[in-house]
Amino acid sequence: MKISFNINGAPQTVETDGNTPLLWIIRDVLDLKGTKFGCGKAACGACTIHVEGMQVRSCSYPAKLAEGKNITTIEGLSDGDNLHPVQQAWMEEIVPQCGYCQPGFMMATAALLEVNPNPTDEDIDNNIVNVCRCATYYRMRKAIHRAAEIKSANL
Amino acid sequence: MSNSEKTEPKKKKKFSRRKFLLRSSIGLGVVMGATYLSRPIWRRALANFANTAEAPYQGATDDPKIWFEITADNQVTLLSPKIEMGQGTFTGLAQIAADELGVDISQMKVKHAPSASGNLDAFATGGSTSISSLWQPLRELAATMREMLLQEAAKQLGIESNSLSVVNGVVKGGGKSVSYGDIVKNVTEWKIPKTPKLKDVSEFKFIGKPIPRVDLKDKVLGTPIFGMDASMPDMLYGDVVRPSQIDSTFVSADTSAAEKMPGVIKIIKEKDFVGVVAKSITEARNAKKAIKAEWKVNKKWQNSDIEEIIKVGNGTAYTIQKEGKPNFEGEDTITSEYHSPIGAHAQIEPNGAVAHVADGKATIMISTQVVNITRSEIAKRLGFEAEDVNIIPTFMGGGFGRRLHTPNGIQAALMSKAVGKPVKCFFDRKEEFQNDTFRPPTHHVLKAKLNSNGMIESMEHNVSSGAVAFGSPMLPPGAEAIFGADIGAWRGGMINYSKIPNYRAISWKVQLPFATSWWRSLGLLANTFAIESFMDELAIKAGKDPVQFRLDQIGDDERGNRLKKSIEAARDKAGWKDGKLPNGRAMGFACSVDANTPCAHVVEVSVEGKDIKVHKVTCSIDPGVAVNPDQIKAQCEGSIIMGMSASMFEKMEVKDNQLTPTIYGPYQMALMRDAPKEIDVVILENAEQPGAVGEPPLGPIAAAIANAVFRLTGQRLRSMPLEIT
Ligand code: FES
Ligand code: FES
């Protein structure tokens, strides 16, 4: 089937089996490789994207549901050369180690800050539930607080 | 730069490049050169590696090696034989090279050396050896290159080279200047001078500074740098039927249904696997599900079988350490047993590869910790010369020992050969969990006797473990016969308290019915859990402060003194008094020495119901020269939380011949909510060289937590994962 959606601000139409996970359309058809495969079972968060601003685990999101939606991936998080506050904070705190999980975490954090501009530690614990095997959680927490500061200062 | 560009190097010759064909002057072959060494030395060389010293850099034999490329824009690219898997090696190497080369850190780029460059590491990226093993050779190489550039500049400027100076890759003298980028434009042949004098510590501009990671921006932007992101033009997708049962052998497969599935290009039947190549990953996966594979299952294993195999006393014993005459007669002998479970690597990027085999040549893009071994295994299976296989290593989405085994490279290559096009093939998550090369389970029996002053008179540590080093492809065939005990399994298993008059450590080797191998820090975590928990038990028995009890029994040699300083640093920074805290919390202490790096942790823990909460970890580490203090802190933070994860949550079990669980969640791991809110790292530099960093801080964490839990609850937890009953 043909599926049309907006991704990172640009319209796209793809021809695919509607049950194909959106992750593979993003990675292999649209060649946006920042969205990662970790488990394929909605269990790790490496594939986190935004659909209409909400965080979604794209490995478990059938492509057909994307019809007519606005989708953002890590490649669309920054505004040209202007890094998103979450990315700025990630740079300041030097969060990534291997880096593989990081796009998913940044996307999850960006979505959280939209609904909760100043999350407490508890909010972070309850909402940021992706898996990082390098266990960069300590710096991530600092970066999430820092991102909230940068974002509110920008308003 | 995207990965797909890397496969077409000819197209991107934008700059005039001069490749420096430098030979490393460092001696080769200590680990791999078994035939040249008599047995005891061979044994000692690896024993040193396992317990004390760093492994020397193991350059492979291909010559020449390309280490640096200089481009006209005055940028220097270091081709690293060590792979970046998150440990920060690229950044440390860039700092080291920049200082000796006389360029700014912003002028340094680092990329993985493809095997075709000849710059191969015959050993592996692992064991926390990347910076320590390259510290001397890389400085010599960079200094030599600087000297070569200076001599050329002297010629080109007509000025004596000893009156020239270098700032940011620009050579100046006599009112003239020329950049490295310009110097190399006009040179066709280089003379390699003698290694010049290396810079003094006081001259370092970048070594010792908390420089941000050189790969930071790429990793924040989501740039496609990983093996999973690799692609080649016209690429197809392969998938392989992998066993879900342990101790089973592939027999045959009925592929008739799969052949008719949409998108399928070809079914590939090899002697040891069956695979499918299709147009998309989803079509390959669907077709694979339709293949009916038959496996010969030797026995239906259960977890109780594994527990029985792993018991101390059931395998072959090797004494790895002995002092005095340990004596455990009499009723006052204290005995404790400890256990650790099977652990999965669970790195987030699954294993996979993109291969293109055509016209007698193979190109493989792959996340591998063992470039040289991956290359020779693939070459052997294809019937090619090693030189006809180019391995292009990619950034790894976690290594931790999982990428010492790369059969996926062979499978992708065979599938590509069969269809004549590039093929990408990778594991799904269930297969990762079931076909991992696991951290083996362990069983420990400790014994001790105290004297009338409450000091240890005799002590013994028995560790029984599945294969660690012997499960890996890095040791030459026959190594097991030479060494006896598995040097990986007993890493961290020796007793560090050399003032004890009588002590010994015994390593028991057993055969498990599934693959086990290196897992970040090898045996260190389990061995330190056992020994350091037992030390706490003994201190309490003796009525002594556990920290002082340790300090009093560590020897006064260099190793001992460094360990003592490390213990004192953690104790003082954490404000340790007797481990008790007013706010419903308690402290726990443990320490270890891994690959010559002492490390000590003080943890602050509370217990609510059955939940153990770690609030704060104070960590001291003494890696010697701290090349990048920020990355050392990052490695400590990561090791601590990964170690907590393994200590408190993680466990694989065998049920009806299957390893389970097979997904994150049921395989419980530390998440954000479990991470301590405070991690305070103290870095000591009591050695002249940089030492191991990426694994040592994993050692003491399980014992430190268990010791704190005992202080709070009176329960001595002797099994990982730690569970309050
Ligand atoms: S890949 Fe989607 S949650 Fe793991
Ligand atoms: S940075 Fe490696 S998995 Fe998160």
Side-chain angles (χ1 to χ4, degrees):
Chain A
M1 65 189 284
K2 269 199 168 38
I3 302 167
S4 300
F5 48 85
N6 273 308
I7 184 158
N8 301 331
Q12 279 289 355
T13 300
V14 295
E15 175 74 46
T16 180
D17 176 341
N19 291 324
T20 298
L22 185 58
L23 170 67
W24 300 119
I25 303 298
I26 292 172
R27 284 181 59 85
D28 291 343
V29 180
L30 305 177
D31 199 26
L32 295 168
K33 296 249 175 8
T35 307
K36 304 302 183 193
F37 170 81
C39 68
K41 294 263 194 267
C44 74
C47 62
T48 305
I49 58 168
H50 297 169
V51 177
E52 299 297 339
M54 304 288 286
Q55 58 163 314
V56 160
R57 294 186 164 181
S58 62
C59 68
S60 305
Y61 189 85
K64 62 188 174 202
L65 297 185
E67 178 62 41
K69 302 266 169 60
N70 287 302
I71 291 164
T72 309
T73 67
I74 184 76
E75 290 88 351
L77 192 62
S78 53
D79 174 10
D81 286 343
N82 291 331
L83 294 183
H84 185 279
V86 171
Q87 292 171 306
Q88 290 176 39
W90 248 243
M91 294 283 293
E92 282 181 28
E93 297 294 340
I94 316 180
V95 175
Q97 287 188 25
C98 85
Y100 194 79
C101 71
Q102 301 289 340
F105 272 96
M106 287 185 278
M107 294 306 284
T109 301
L112 172 65
L113 295 184
E114 287 305 318
V115 292
N116 184 348
N118 194 15
T120 61
D121 277 339
E122 207 183 335
D123 297 335
I124 294 171
D125 289 347
N126 292 335
N127 288 282
I128 305 299
V129 291
N130 292 7
V131 183
C132 173
R133 188 41 151 172
C134 303
T136 60
Y137 302 111
Y138 179 66
R139 289 185 183 200
M140 277 182 192
R141 181 187 301 282
K142 290 206 265 180
I144 295 168
H145 287 305
R146 179 71 191 122
E149 264 172 44
I150 298 172
K151 194 156 186 280
S152 62
N154 285 353
L155 286 178
Chain B
M1 183 173 56
S2 81
N3 275 325
S4 49
E5 275 177 65
K6 285 186 195 161
T7 59
E8 306 164 73
K10 282 191 191 100
K11 281 192 193 155
K12 60 180 182 90
K13 273 208 169 168
K14 273 188 234 144
F15 305 110
S16 109
R17 277 165 193 268
R18 292 292 180 267
K19 294 181 173 181
F20 285 85
L21 311 177
L22 296 187
R23 282 157 213 259
S24 165
S25 57
I26 294 305
L28 309 172
V30 173
V31 172
M32 305 313 283
T35 48
Y36 300 106
L37 295 166
S38 66
R39 262 191 190 199
I41 301 174
W42 181 203
R43 197 180 269 225
R44 223 179 306 133
L46 268 161
N48 277 342
F49 166 57
N51 203 53
T52 55
E54 305 82 27
Y57 172 60
Q58 302 295 322
T61 50
D62 298 47
D63 268 330
K65 303 179 199 308
I66 301 172
W67 280 88
F68 297 106
E69 294 177 2
I70 295 178
T71 43
D73 56 354
N74 215 18
Q75 296 274 321
V76 181
T77 302
L78 166 67
L79 291 181
S80 170
K82 294 288 184 182
I83 315 301
E84 178 58 65
M85 51 188 173
Q87 80 281 43
T89 289
F90 271 20
T91 310
L93 297 182
Q95 292 172 261
I96 294 168
D99 264 330
E100 288 297 345
L101 279 171
V103 299
D104 189 70
I105 192 80
S106 65
Q107 293 172 279
M108 282 299 308
K109 290 198 185 102
V110 189
K111 65 179 193 189
H112 295 114
S115 68
S117 72
N119 198 359
L120 277 157
D121 189 312
F123 185 56
T125 302
S128 300
T129 60
S130 293
I131 296 293
S132 59
S133 69
L134 277 170
W135 167 250
Q136 187 69 14
L138 183 59
R139 288 172 71 210
E140 287 182 9
L141 285 159
T144 305
M145 192 169 93
R146 179 165 154 274
E147 186 61 28
M148 285 158 68
L149 288 157
L150 274 175
Q151 286 177 8
E152 267 302 325
K155 255 198 257 167
Q156 292 179 14
L157 296 175
I159 298 170
E160 285 289 303
S161 73
N162 54 17
S163 53
L164 294 172
S165 63
V166 186
V167 181
N168 295 344
V170 177
V171 183
K172 292 184 183 153
K176 298 192 214 168
S177 71
V178 61
S179 73
Y180 283 177
D182 284 331
I183 295 170
V184 299
K185 275 185 195 159
N186 303 314
V187 187
T188 48
E189 216 177 294
W190 293 91
K191 279 205 202 70
I192 300 182
K194 273 213 222 102
T195 307
K197 187 175 166 291
L198 301 183
K199 284 195 175 153
D200 184 71
V201 185
S202 62
E203 296 171 89
F204 292 155
K205 275 165 73 182
F206 307 109
I207 295 170
K209 303 277 163 18
I211 307 283
R213 299 179 64 104
V214 294
D215 51 6
L216 180 58
K217 188 91 182 263
D218 276 345
K219 288 179 174 177
V220 166
L221 291 176
T223 309
I225 53 175
F226 300 100
M228 273 294 285
D229 303 335
S231 63
M232 294 187 193
D234 240 4
M235 186 175 80
L236 297 169
Y237 294 83
D239 207 352
V240 168
V241 182
R242 300 185 175 90
S244 59
Q245 305 209 50
I246 61 170
D247 198 17
S248 55
T249 334
F250 175 67
V251 179
S252 65
D254 172 1
T255 58
S256 50
E259 279 157 26
K260 297 189 201 89
M261 302 280 289
V264 171
I265 309 274
K266 191 163 186 164
I267 304 286
I268 284 114
K269 289 186 179 170
E270 288 283 336
K271 60 179 183 212
D272 50 354
F273 74 92
V274 55
V276 53
V277 177
K279 285 189 190 141
S280 72
I281 181 62
T282 312
E283 286 163 327
R285 292 269 200 256
N286 288 342
K288 176 170 84 166
K289 280 190 205 130
I291 296 175
K292 290 186 206 78
E294 200 193 311
W295 305 85
K296 181 173 164 280
V297 177
N298 298 318
K299 176 182 162 155
K300 201 163 203 183
W301 294 92
Q302 304 292 353
N303 219 52
S304 51
D305 299 321
I306 309 299
E307 282 164 8
E308 190 56 35
I309 291 175
I310 204 72
K311 272 190 187 144
V312 165
N314 285 351
T316 316
Y318 299 90
T319 300
I320 54 170
Q321 186 188 32
K322 186 167 185 287
E323 282 299 325
K325 291 199 172 66
N327 165 23
F328 302 103
E329 277 162 24
E331 289 193 347
D332 52 348
T333 297
I334 304 153
T335 305
S336 279
E337 295 185 36
Y338 287 82
H339 297 268
S340 80
I342 307 165
H345 286 93
Q347 84 295 346
I348 314 286
E349 182 200 12
N351 270 344
V354 181
H356 189 199
V357 182
D359 309 324
K361 304 253 188 260
T363 306
I364 322 283
M365 301 172 81
I366 185 169
S367 292
T368 173
Q369 291 175 249
V370 285
V371 178
N372 194 38
I373 293 165
T374 301
R375 183 178 71 156
S376 49
E377 285 178 353
I378 292 172
K380 190 167 163 217
R381 186 67 186 260
L382 291 173
F384 289 6
E385 295 298 321
E387 290 70 36
D388 291 328
V389 176
N390 186 21
I391 305 293
I392 302 177
T394 54
F395 281 83
M396 285 185 258
F400 316 118
R402 175 67 179 115
R403 302 185 206 274
L404 300 170
H405 304 258
T406 52
N408 43 300
I410 299 174
Q411 292 163 349
L414 289 170
M415 287 193 278
S416 170
K417 195 176 168 202
V419 296
K421 285 192 176 175
V423 171
K424 179 173 190 167
C425 167
F426 53 91
F427 283 60
D428 75 18
R429 183 51 53 186
K430 183 171 179 220
E431 293 165 340
E432 272 290 337
F433 273 108
Q434 292 193 319
N435 294 267
D436 197 351
T437 48
F438 297 91
R439 189 186 69 228
T442 61
H443 176 222
H444 310 254
V445 177
L446 291 117
K447 291 181 193 164
K449 274 173 90 130
L450 299 173
N451 68 18
S452 53
N453 300 324
M455 303 297 270
I456 304 170
E457 183 63 32
S458 280
M459 181 165 166
E460 180 178 279
H461 174 222
N462 291 269
V463 49
S464 176
S465 165
V468 177
F470 293 161
S472 77
M474 274 117 61
L475 296 181
E480 192 163 347
I482 299 170
F483 293 123
D486 186 310
I487 52 164
W490 59 260
R491 189 147 162 165
M494 286 191 179
I495 292 163
N496 287 323
Y497 301 97
S498 62
K499 281 193 181 158
I500 302 172
N502 312 290
Y503 58 94
R504 75 176 155 236
I506 300 165
S507 177
W508 296 78
K509 188 168 71 183
V510 303
Q511 195 66 43
L512 293 169
F514 54 89
T516 57
S517 182
W518 298 44
W519 186 99
R520 191 178 191 175
S521 89
L522 304 97
L524 179 73
L525 175 67
N527 284 322
T528 309
F529 169 55
I531 295 175
E532 286 295 296
S533 296
F534 191 59
M535 285 300 287
D536 208 65
E537 293 193 60
L538 297 179
I540 288 163
K541 241 291 153 6
K544 303 203 175 200
D545 173 71
V547 177
Q548 195 58 44
F549 182 69
R550 287 172 169 86
L551 286 169
D552 289 343
Q553 299 183 79
I554 295 169
D556 299 319
D557 52 317
E558 194 206 327
R559 179 184 160 96
N561 284 333
R562 281 178 68 199
L563 176 57
K564 281 190 266 191
K565 283 183 193 155
S566 192
I567 292 174
E568 286 159 357
R571 174 195 68 190
D572 297 346
K573 194 73 199 291
W576 171 283
K577 297 220 167 55
D578 49 11
K580 296 192 188 96
L581 288 169
N583 48 359
R585 297 183 186 179
M587 285 183 175
F589 176 86
C591 61
S592 62
V593 184
D594 183 42
N596 249 353
T597 296
C599 192
H601 293 341
V602 177
V603 297
E604 263 186 56
V605 169
S606 69
V607 170
E608 270 166 50
K610 292 188 173 182
D611 285 342
I612 303 168
K613 183 94 193 137
V614 180
H615 300 274
K616 179 177 176 184
V617 179
T618 306
C619 157
S620 80
I621 183 166
D622 175 9
V625 175
V627 173
N628 188 321
D630 180 68
Q631 280 309 300
I632 292 172
K633 282 189 180 154
Q635 285 304 298
C636 290
E637 293 157 9
S639 282
I640 284 166
I641 302 172
M642 184 171 172
M644 281 174 54
S645 186
S647 314
M648 297 165 68
F649 307 116
E650 295 176 29
K651 173 163 77 170
M652 294 296 294
E653 284 183 317
V654 177
K655 274 203 192 95
D656 297 338
N657 230 28
Q658 300 216 359
L659 276 151
T660 161
T662 59
I663 186 72
Y664 300 116
Y667 189 75
Q668 203 188 337
M669 287 160 63
L671 297 178
M672 184 71 84
R673 62 168 177 260
D674 305 300
K677 298 277 180 342
E678 255 185 287
I679 299 180
D680 193 359
V681 178
V682 187
I683 301 172
L684 306 175
E685 295 187 88
N686 294 321
E688 310 267 298
Q689 305 269 319
V693 169
E695 295 171 302
L698 236 144
I701 191 70
I705 296 169
N707 294 342
V709 169
F710 180 82
R711 214 143 281 123
L712 275 171
T713 66
Q715 274 191 51
R716 178 60 64 183
L717 305 183
R718 296 193 182 92
S719 287
M720 284 167 47
L722 304 172
E723 271 165 28
I724 292 176
T725 50

mmCIF file of all heavy atoms in Angstrom, chain A residues 75-92:
data_model
loop_
_atom_site.group_PDB
_atom_site.id
_atom_site.type_symbol
_atom_site.label_atom_id
_atom_site.label_comp_id
_atom_site.label_asym_id
_atom_site.label_seq_id
_atom_site.Cartn_x
_atom_site.Cartn_y
_atom_site.Cartn_z
ATOM 1 N N GLU A 75 17.218 13.174 13.333
ATOM 2 C CA GLU A 75 17.761 14.055 12.287
ATOM 3 C C GLU A 75 16.962 15.347 12.197
ATOM 4 O O GLU A 75 17.480 16.366 11.715
ATOM 5 C CB GLU A 75 17.750 13.354 10.920
ATOM 6 C CG GLU A 75 18.755 12.206 10.783
ATOM 7 C CD GLU A 75 18.216 10.863 11.241
ATOM 8 O OE1 GLU A 75 17.114 10.813 11.840
ATOM 9 O OE2 GLU A 75 18.902 9.836 11.010
ATOM 10 N N GLY A 76 15.711 15.318 12.629
ATOM 11 C CA GLY A 76 14.880 16.518 12.550
ATOM 12 C C GLY A 76 14.755 17.233 13.888
ATOM 13 O O GLY A 76 13.998 18.195 14.029
ATOM 14 N N LEU A 77 15.474 16.761 14.883
ATOM 15 C CA LEU A 77 15.344 17.376 16.215
ATOM 16 C C LEU A 77 16.004 18.746 16.237
ATOM 17 O O LEU A 77 15.470 19.697 16.802
ATOM 18 C CB LEU A 77 15.973 16.461 17.267
ATOM 19 C CG LEU A 77 15.668 16.804 18.726
ATOM 20 C CD1 LEU A 77 14.171 16.715 19.017
ATOM 21 C CD2 LEU A 77 16.435 15.874 19.679
ATOM 22 N N SER A 78 17.157 18.852 15.614
ATOM 23 C CA SER A 78 17.819 20.153 15.570
ATOM 24 C C SER A 78 17.204 20.973 14.448
ATOM 25 O O SER A 78 16.627 20.437 13.511
ATOM 26 C CB SER A 78 19.313 19.976 15.346
ATOM 27 O OG SER A 78 19.532 19.181 14.208
ATOM 28 N N ASP A 79 17.357 22.284 14.563
ATOM 29 C CA ASP A 79 16.825 23.178 13.557
ATOM 30 C C ASP A 79 18.024 23.635 12.731
ATOM 31 O O ASP A 79 18.703 24.592 13.076
ATOM 32 C CB ASP A 79 16.133 24.333 14.304
ATOM 33 C CG ASP A 79 15.670 25.416 13.354
ATOM 34 O OD1 ASP A 79 15.700 25.194 12.139
ATOM 35 O OD2 ASP A 79 15.292 26.496 13.849
ATOM 36 N N GLY A 80 18.313 22.921 11.673
ATOM 37 C CA GLY A 80 19.519 23.209 10.908
ATOM 38 C C GLY A 80 20.738 23.027 11.793
ATOM 39 O O GLY A 80 20.909 21.969 12.397
ATOM 40 N N ASP A 81 21.558 24.043 11.880
ATOM 41 C CA ASP A 81 22.755 23.960 12.716
ATOM 42 C C ASP A 81 22.463 24.234 14.190
ATOM 43 O O ASP A 81 23.338 24.068 15.037
ATOM 44 C CB ASP A 81 23.829 24.944 12.219
ATOM 45 C CG ASP A 81 24.485 24.444 10.945
ATOM 46 O OD1 ASP A 81 24.347 23.234 10.653
ATOM 47 O OD2 ASP A 81 25.120 25.253 10.245
ATOM 48 N N ASN A 82 21.257 24.701 14.462
ATOM 49 C CA ASN A 82 20.917 24.986 15.858
ATOM 50 C C ASN A 82 20.468 23.716 16.557
ATOM 51 O O ASN A 82 19.393 23.186 16.279
ATOM 52 C CB ASN A 82 19.777 26.008 15.946
ATOM 53 C CG ASN A 82 20.231 27.368 15.485
ATOM 54 O OD1 ASN A 82 21.410 27.709 15.599
ATOM 55 N ND2 ASN A 82 19.304 28.130 14.932
ATOM 56 N N LEU A 83 21.303 23.261 17.452
ATOM 57 C CA LEU A 83 20.956 22.041 18.163
ATOM 58 C C LEU A 83 19.751 22.292 19.064
ATOM 59 O O LEU A 83 19.581 23.380 19.620
ATOM 60 C CB LEU A 83 22.139 21.567 19.007
ATOM 61 C CG LEU A 83 23.384 21.103 18.248
ATOM 62 C CD1 LEU A 83 24.430 20.590 19.226
ATOM 63 C CD2 LEU A 83 23.031 20.017 17.235
ATOM 64 N N HIS A 84 18.938 21.260 19.198
ATOM 65 C CA HIS A 84 17.817 21.277 20.149
ATOM 66 C C HIS A 84 18.397 21.390 21.564
ATOM 67 O O HIS A 84 19.499 20.889 21.824
ATOM 68 C CB HIS A 84 17.043 19.968 19.973
ATOM 69 C CG HIS A 84 15.793 19.879 20.786
ATOM 70 N ND1 HIS A 84 15.806 19.528 22.118
ATOM 71 C CD2 HIS A 84 14.488 20.100 20.456
ATOM 72 C CE1 HIS A 84 14.549 19.524 22.574
ATOM 73 N NE2 HIS A 84 13.736 19.873 21.580
ATOM 74 N N PRO A 85 17.690 22.051 22.478
ATOM 75 C CA PRO A 85 18.202 22.151 23.858
ATOM 76 C C PRO A 85 18.645 20.815 24.448
ATOM 77 O O PRO A 85 19.628 20.761 25.199
ATOM 78 C CB PRO A 85 17.003 22.719 24.634
ATOM 79 C CG PRO A 85 16.216 23.478 23.614
ATOM 80 C CD PRO A 85 16.424 22.784 22.299
ATOM 81 N N VAL A 86 17.944 19.757 24.102
ATOM 82 C CA VAL A 86 18.340 18.436 24.623
ATOM 83 C C VAL A 86 19.719 18.059 24.077
ATOM 84 O O VAL A 86 20.590 17.587 24.815
ATOM 85 C CB VAL A 86 17.297 17.358 24.252
ATOM 86 C CG1 VAL A 86 17.808 15.966 24.586
ATOM 87 C CG2 VAL A 86 15.989 17.635 24.981
ATOM 88 N N GLN A 87 19.936 18.317 22.807
ATOM 89 C CA GLN A 87 21.250 18.003 22.228
ATOM 90 C C GLN A 87 22.343 18.910 22.794
ATOM 91 O O GLN A 87 23.460 18.461 23.047
ATOM 92 C CB GLN A 87 21.184 18.137 20.698
ATOM 93 C CG GLN A 87 20.309 17.068 20.049
ATOM 94 C CD GLN A 87 20.081 17.325 18.572
ATOM 95 O OE1 GLN A 87 19.638 18.409 18.195
ATOM 96 N NE2 GLN A 87 20.384 16.344 17.739
ATOM 97 N N GLN A 88 21.985 20.166 23.001
ATOM 98 C CA GLN A 88 22.969 21.087 23.608
ATOM 99 C C GLN A 88 23.381 20.576 24.989
ATOM 100 O O GLN A 88 24.559 20.557 25.338
ATOM 101 C CB GLN A 88 22.375 22.485 23.758
ATOM 102 C CG GLN A 88 22.172 23.226 22.454
ATOM 103 C CD GLN A 88 21.476 24.571 22.683
ATOM 104 O OE1 GLN A 88 21.752 25.267 23.660
ATOM 105 N NE2 GLN A 88 20.561 24.915 21.793
ATOM 106 N N ALA A 89 22.379 20.180 25.761
ATOM 107 C CA ALA A 89 22.669 19.695 27.115
ATOM 108 C C ALA A 89 23.490 18.404 27.053
ATOM 109 O O ALA A 89 24.411 18.204 27.857
ATOM 110 C CB ALA A 89 21.365 19.453 27.870
ATOM 111 N N TRP A 90 23.172 17.542 26.098
ATOM 112 C CA TRP A 90 23.930 16.283 25.932
ATOM 113 C C TRP A 90 25.402 16.587 25.600
ATOM 114 O O TRP A 90 26.302 15.885 26.056
ATOM 115 C CB TRP A 90 23.296 15.445 24.820
ATOM 116 C CG TRP A 90 22.631 14.182 25.251
ATOM 117 C CD1 TRP A 90 23.006 12.921 24.894
ATOM 118 C CD2 TRP A 90 21.460 14.019 26.081
ATOM 119 N NE1 TRP A 90 22.155 11.995 25.464
ATOM 120 C CE2 TRP A 90 21.211 12.632 26.192
ATOM 121 C CE3 TRP A 90 20.615 14.905 26.771
ATOM 122 C CZ2 TRP A 90 20.148 12.111 26.938
ATOM 123 C CZ3 TRP A 90 19.563 14.387 27.505
ATOM 124 C CH2 TRP A 90 19.336 13.021 27.584
ATOM 125 N N MET A 91 25.614 17.636 24.796
ATOM 126 C CA MET A 91 26.989 18.050 24.482
ATOM 127 C C MET A 91 27.678 18.574 25.745
ATOM 128 O O MET A 91 28.813 18.219 26.045
ATOM 129 C CB MET A 91 27.003 19.160 23.424
ATOM 130 C CG MET A 91 26.513 18.798 22.043
ATOM 131 S SD MET A 91 27.673 17.861 21.018
ATOM 132 C CE MET A 91 28.974 19.037 20.736
ATOM 133 N N GLU A 92 26.993 19.441 26.465
ATOM 134 C CA GLU A 92 27.606 20.052 27.661
ATOM 135 C C GLU A 92 27.992 19.001 28.694
ATOM 136 O O GLU A 92 29.047 19.079 29.315
ATOM 137 C CB GLU A 92 26.629 21.032 28.325
ATOM 138 C CG GLU A 92 26.539 22.370 27.625
ATOM 139 C CD GLU A 92 25.582 23.323 28.337
ATOM 140 O OE1 GLU A 92 25.407 23.203 29.577
ATOM 141 O OE2 GLU A 92 25.001 24.174 27.638
#
